[in-house]
C-alpha cells in the first residue's frame, strides 16, 4: 500500500499553493481595480453632493423669483 | 347525452384498470399475502397482541431481524434498539445547546429534530420514501441546498472591508491551513492506527470542517463522503457556534501584549463601482484558474452581485430572507436524516469530532501566525488578532477578534478590520473545496 500520509502532504502543498496564488492574484486585481476606478471613474459621491447644492440654489432662486413675481403681480 | 358520458367514464375506468393491473399485480400479490396474515378473523386478544408488536417500545426491545437501514443495508441489533434511544437523547442534548446556550439555533434545531425523526423505529422516516429521505434526495444528495444557501450568504456579505485593505485577504488564505493540516492528520490516523480507516476522500471531507463554513462542508461531504455527512455537519456547526470559546485562548497564547494593542489605520472609502465590479472580477479569476470552485464561488458572487447592483432590491431581499430561511429548514432536516443511529454511532464520528476541533484550532493559529509574518515586512502593521477571523465563520470570528481586542485596549475597534480576512476566508475555503473537487474529479 502506498503511503497515504505522503499523499496528504502533496494535497496540502497543492491546496495551500492554489489558495494562496488565488488570493494573491485577487489582491493584485483588487489593487488594480481600485487604481483604475479611482483614476478613470472617480466616485461621483462628492460631485453629486455639490450638484445637489447647486440644484438647491437653483430651486431657491426659482422660488424667490416666483414669490417676487407673485408679490409684484399683487401690488 | 347522459348515457354517453357514463359509457365514456366506464370505458375510461376499464381502460385504466386494464392498464394499471399488470403493473399493480406483483405489489398486489405481495400485499395480499401480508393481508392474509393480518386480515384473518382475530380474537380480541390476538388483535391486541398484534398491535403491541407494532409499538415503538416493542420495536426497541425486540429489534426486527429483517429490518434494513435507510441504505438497505444490514444493521446491528444495537443500532436498531438502544442505539436509537441513545441518539434520541443526543438530539435532546442538541436541543438544549441550541435553545438554552444559543449555539447556532437556526441550523442546529432543524438538524437535531431531523435526527430525532430519523431515529424512530418502524416509521422509517429517513428511508427513501420517508419525508426526510425525500428531502435528502431532493436537495442534499445532489448538492443543491448548500449552493442555494451560498447565494443567500453572498447577498448578505459586504466586501467593503476587504476592498479597503486588500492584503488582509492573505490572512483568510493562511487560515485554510487548518483544512490541509487536518487532512494530513486524518490520513495519518488511518495509516498508523487500526481503529480508523479513512479513505483520502473521507479524510478530505472531514478536514473541510477547518474551513469553518457550513455550506461548503456540507457540499464537500455530500460529494466525497455522504456516509459521514451527519457527523461532519454536526461537528462543523457545533464548532462554529463554539468559536467564541475555542478561539480566544489560541489568540492570546500566540500574541504579545504589544501586538494586541496595535491600532490599525482607518479604512479608506470604497466606491459603489468597486463593490459592483468585485464579484465579477473574483468569478473571472475562478473561471480562469479553478473552474471546479465555480459552483460555490459562482453562487456566492451571484448573490453578492444582485445586492451590489442595487436595482433588484426584491430579489436581494428574497435571497437574504425567504429563500435562505426555507432552504435552511430543508437543509437542516436533510442533514438530520443522517443522524440515524446506524450512521452516527460509529467510531468514525468520534474521530470526526476530534479532527474537526483540531482543524478549527489549526486554522485559527495559522491565521494569527500569518499576521505576525506579514508584520515582519515594512508597511502598515496588522493587529494579529484579526488573523483568527480568517477562518470563515462570518461574522462570529470577526466579532471574536473585536472582543479580544477590546479586552486589551478599550478604544481599539477591530470589527471592520477583521471583516476583511473574514470574507476572504469564505473565498479561501471555496477555493480549497474547489481544489479537492478537482483532485477527486
Amino acid at each position: 500500500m502506498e503511503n497515504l500520509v505522503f499523499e496528504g502532504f502533496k494535497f496540502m502543498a497543492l491546496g495551500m499553493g492554489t489558495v494562496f496564488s488565488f488570493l494573491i492574484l485577487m489582491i493584485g486585481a483588487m489593487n488594480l481595480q481600485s487604481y483604475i476606478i479611482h483614476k478613470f471613474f472617480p466616485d461621483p459621491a462628492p460631485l453629486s453632493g455639490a450638484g445637489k447644492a447647486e440644484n438647491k440654489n437653483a430651486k431657491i432662486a426659482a422660488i424667490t423669483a416666483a414669490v417676487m413675481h407673485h408679490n409684484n403681480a399683487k401690488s | 347525452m347522459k348515457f354517453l358520458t357514463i359509457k365514456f367514464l366506464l370505458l375510461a375506468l376499464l381502460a385504466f384498470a386494464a392498464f394499471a393491473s399488470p403493473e399493480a399485480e406483483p405489489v398486489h400479490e405481495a400485499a395480499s399475502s401480508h393481508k392474509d396474515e393480518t386480515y384473518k378473523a382475530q380474537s380480541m386478544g390476538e388483535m391486541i397482541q398484534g398491535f403491541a408488536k407494532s409499538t415503538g417500545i416493542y420495536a426497541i426491545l425486540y429489534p426486527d431481524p429483517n429490518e434494513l437501514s435507510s441504505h438497505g443495508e444490514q444493521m446491528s441489533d444495537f443500532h436498531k434498539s438502544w442505539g436509537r434511544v441513545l441518539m434520541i437523547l443526543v438530539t435532546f442534548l442538541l436541543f438544549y445547546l441550541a435553545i438554552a446556550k444559543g449555539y447556532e439555533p437556526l441550523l442546529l434545531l432543524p438538524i437535531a429534530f431531523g435526527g430525532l425523526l430519523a431515529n424512530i423505529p418502524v416509521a422509517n422516516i429517513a428511508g427513501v420514501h420517508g419525508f426526510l429521505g425525500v428531502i435528502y434526495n431532493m436537495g442534499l444528495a445532489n448538492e443543491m441546498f448548500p449552493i442555494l444557501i451560498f447565494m443567500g450568504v453572498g447577498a448578505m456579505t459586504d466586501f467593503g472591508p476587504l476592498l479597503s485593505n486588500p492584503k488582509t485577504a492573505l490572512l483568510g488564505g493562511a487560515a485554510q491551513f487548518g483544512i490541509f493540516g487536518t487532512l494530513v492528520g486524518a490520513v495519518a490516523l488511518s495509516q498508523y492506527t487500526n481503529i480508523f480507516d479513512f479513505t483520502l476522500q473521507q479524510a478530505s471531507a472531514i478536514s473541510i470542517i477547518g474551513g469553518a463554513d457550513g455550506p461548503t462542508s456540507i457540499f464537500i461531504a455530500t460529494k466525497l463522503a455522504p456516509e459521514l455527512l451527519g457527523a461532519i455537519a454536526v461537528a462543523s456547526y457545533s464548532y462554529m457556534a463554539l468559536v467564541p470559546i475555542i478561539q480566544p485562548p489560541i489568540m492570546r497564547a500566540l500574541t504579545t501584549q504589544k501586538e494586541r494593542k496595535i491600532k490599525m489605520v482607518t479604512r479608506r472609502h470604497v466606491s459603489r463601482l468597486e463593490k459592483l465590479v468585485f464579484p465579477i472580477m473574483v468569478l473571472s479569476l475562478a473561471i480562469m484558474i479553478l473552474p471546479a470552485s465555480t459552483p460555490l464561488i459562482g453562487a456566492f458572487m451571484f448573490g453578492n452581485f444582485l445586492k451590489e447592483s442595487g436595482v433588484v432590491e426584491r430579489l436581494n431581499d428574497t435571497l437574504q430572507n425567504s429563500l435562505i430561511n426555507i432552504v435552511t429548514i430543508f437543509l437542516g432536516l436533510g442533514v438530520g436524516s443522517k443522524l440515524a443511529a446506524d450512521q452516527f454511532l460509529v467510531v468514525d464520528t468520534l474521530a470526526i469530532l476530534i479532527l474537526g476541533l483540531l482543524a478549527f484550532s489549526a486554522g485559527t493559529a495559522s491565521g494569527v501566525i500569518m499576521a505576525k509574518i506579514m508584520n515582519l515586512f515594512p508597511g502598515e502593521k496588522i493587529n494579529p488578532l484579526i488573523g483568527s477571523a480568517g477562518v470563515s465563520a462570518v461574522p462570529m470570528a470577526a466579532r471574536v477578534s473585536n472582543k479580544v481586542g477590546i479586552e486589551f485596549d478599550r478604544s481599539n475597534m477591530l470589527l471592520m478590520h477583521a471583516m476583511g480576512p473574514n470574507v476572504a476566508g469564505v473565498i479561501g475555503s471555496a477555493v480549497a473545496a474547489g481544489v479537492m473537487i478537482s483532485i477527486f474529479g
Side-chain angles (χ1 to χ4, degrees):
Chain A
M1 197 174 100
E2 57 192 308
N3 192 340
L4 278 178
V5 180
F6 185 63
E7 285 296 299
F9 275 111
K10 282 198 283 189
F11 276 34
M12 181 195 268
L14 179 69
M16 287 312 281
T18 315
V19 169
F20 267 112
S21 18
F22 187 90
L23 289 176
I24 287 169
L25 267 175
M26 194 177 88
I27 293 171
M30 275 194 279
N31 285 329
L32 183 72
Q33 171 194 328
S34 125
Y35 172 79
I36 292 174
I37 289 179
H38 281 259
K39 180 142 193 197
F40 299 106
F41 309 97
D43 201 358
L47 276 179
S48 73
K52 259 183 199 161
E54 267 167 34
N55 260 343
K56 222 175 181 181
N57 284 343
K59 257 186 205 163
I60 290 170
I63 293 167
T64 324
V67 170
M68 289 281 277
H69 180 77
H70 182 77
N71 287 348
N72 286 346
K74 236 197 240 172
S75 62
Chain B
M1 191 67 200
K2 224 179 191 178
F3 274 108
L4 212 74
T5 330
I6 292 173
K7 260 187 193 167
F8 179 75
L9 273 177
L10 264 175
L11 213 75
L13 212 70
L14 272 174
F16 179 74
F19 211 67
S21 59
E23 269 181 275
E25 214 137 48
V27 181
H28 207 70
E29 255 170 44
S32 68
S33 66
H34 181 67
K35 264 179 192 156
D36 280 344
E37 284 168 25
T38 41
Y39 271 71
K40 248 187 272 170
Q42 289 172 315
S43 69
M44 197 61 204
E46 276 173 333
M47 273 174 89
I48 291 175
Q49 205 180 12
F51 178 76
K53 280 192 177 174
S54 72
T55 57
I57 297 172
Y58 184 88
I60 283 170
L61 291 179
Y62 307 99
D64 174 8
N66 298 321
E67 191 185 351
L68 297 175
S69 75
S70 55
H71 294 292
E73 288 158 7
Q74 284 292 336
M75 292 190 281
S76 71
D77 276 352
F78 171 74
H79 285 144
K80 284 183 215 164
S81 54
W82 295 110
R84 284 186 165 143
V85 179
L86 193 63
M87 275 315 291
I88 289 177
L89 293 177
V90 168
T91 63
F92 289 172
L93 174 74
L94 292 176
F95 289 158
Y96 169 76
L97 291 178
I99 298 168
K101 298 277 180 179
Y103 287 173
E104 297 277 331
L106 285 177
L107 258 145
L108 223 44
L109 264 190
I111 289 178
F113 213 99
L116 172 58
L117 295 174
N119 282 294
I120 297 173
V122 183
N124 200 14
I125 300 179
V128 187
H129 299 294
F131 79 88
L132 285 186
V134 171
I135 290 177
Y136 180 82
N137 286 323
M138 177 171 78
L140 269 160
N142 53 19
E143 299 128 28
M144 183 70 193
F145 290 155
I147 294 286
L148 290 176
I149 298 265
F150 238 61
M151 289 182 193
V153 174
M156 287 197 247
T157 303
D158 178 13
F159 283 109
L162 180 64
L163 283 162
S164 74
N165 197 353
K167 70 176 177 183
T168 53
L170 285 180
L171 302 173
Q176 308 314 319
F177 183 77
I179 295 181
F180 294 103
T182 311
L183 174 60
V184 173
V187 286
L189 207 60
S190 49
Q191 183 94 352
Y192 299 117
T193 68
N194 296 323
I195 316 167
F196 305 109
D197 185 27
F198 294 123
T199 63
L200 271 174
Q201 273 94 333
Q202 289 176 326
S204 307
I206 296 167
S207 61
I208 203 87
I209 298 175
D213 194 82
T216 310
S217 306
I218 292 173
F219 184 80
I220 290 294
T222 40
K223 233 183 166 69
L224 300 183
E227 65 280 5
L228 301 178
L229 176 65
I232 289 177
V234 167
S236 183
Y237 281 105
S238 317
Y239 292 140
M240 257 155 72
L242 289 173
V243 157
I245 300 165
I246 298 173
Q247 286 196 326
I250 301 171
M251 292 154 73
R252 287 195 201 102
L254 288 173
T255 48
T256 62
Q257 190 79 11
K258 201 178 140 205
E259 283 171 331
R260 285 178 224 137
K261 288 190 175 167
I262 293 178
K263 281 215 171 147
M264 298 183 62
V265 283
T266 325
R267 303 172 311 117
R268 70 169 176 86
H269 174 74
V270 176
S271 75
R272 192 178 147 232
L273 188 61
E274 277 185 272
K275 287 188 183 178
L276 185 62
V277 174
F278 181 77
I280 302 298
M281 185 270 282
V282 175
L283 185 56
S284 313
L285 283 181
I287 291 169
M288 287 188 286
I289 293 168
L290 196 60
S293 69
T294 45
L296 286 169
I297 292 188
F300 189 62
M301 293 309 168
F302 167 66
N304 191 253
F305 192 62
L306 287 194
K307 173 191 172 222
E308 299 299 352
S309 75
V311 290
V312 282
E313 206 32 60
R314 286 170 25 189
L315 303 189
N316 175 29
D317 180 62
T318 303
L319 280 187
Q320 286 193 27
N321 300 296
S322 341
L323 183 72
I324 205 169
N325 289 344
I326 293 171
V327 178
T328 300
I329 293 173
F330 286 150
L331 182 82
L333 287 175
V335 169
S337 76
K338 295 284 144 186
L339 291 189
D342 59 297
Q343 290 170 67
F344 196 82
L345 288 182
V346 287
V347 278
D348 287 358
T349 302
L350 197 67
I352 290 169
L353 290 174
I354 293 169
L355 286 167
L357 184 63
L358 198 79
F360 241 81
S361 316
T364 306
S366 43
V368 175
I369 291 168
M370 184 71 194
K372 293 173 71 134
I373 294 174
M374 284 167 74
N375 277 347
L376 296 178
F377 292 94
E380 185 201 322
K381 295 286 176 245
I382 295 171
N383 190 320
L385 290 180
I386 71 168
S388 64
V391 303
S392 328
V394 182
M396 190 84 90
R399 285 201 201 123
V400 170
S401 295
N402 190 49
K403 202 174 135 246
V404 179
I406 286 176
E407 264 174 42
F408 294 95
D409 181 353
R410 278 179 160 275
S411 64
N412 203 357
M413 287 298 176
L414 291 173
L415 184 63
M416 274 304 150
H417 298 290
M419 282 309 285
N422 212 185
V423 295
V426 179
I427 298 176
S429 20
V431 172
V435 173
M436 285 178 178
I437 295 170
S438 75
I439 290 175
F440 295 112

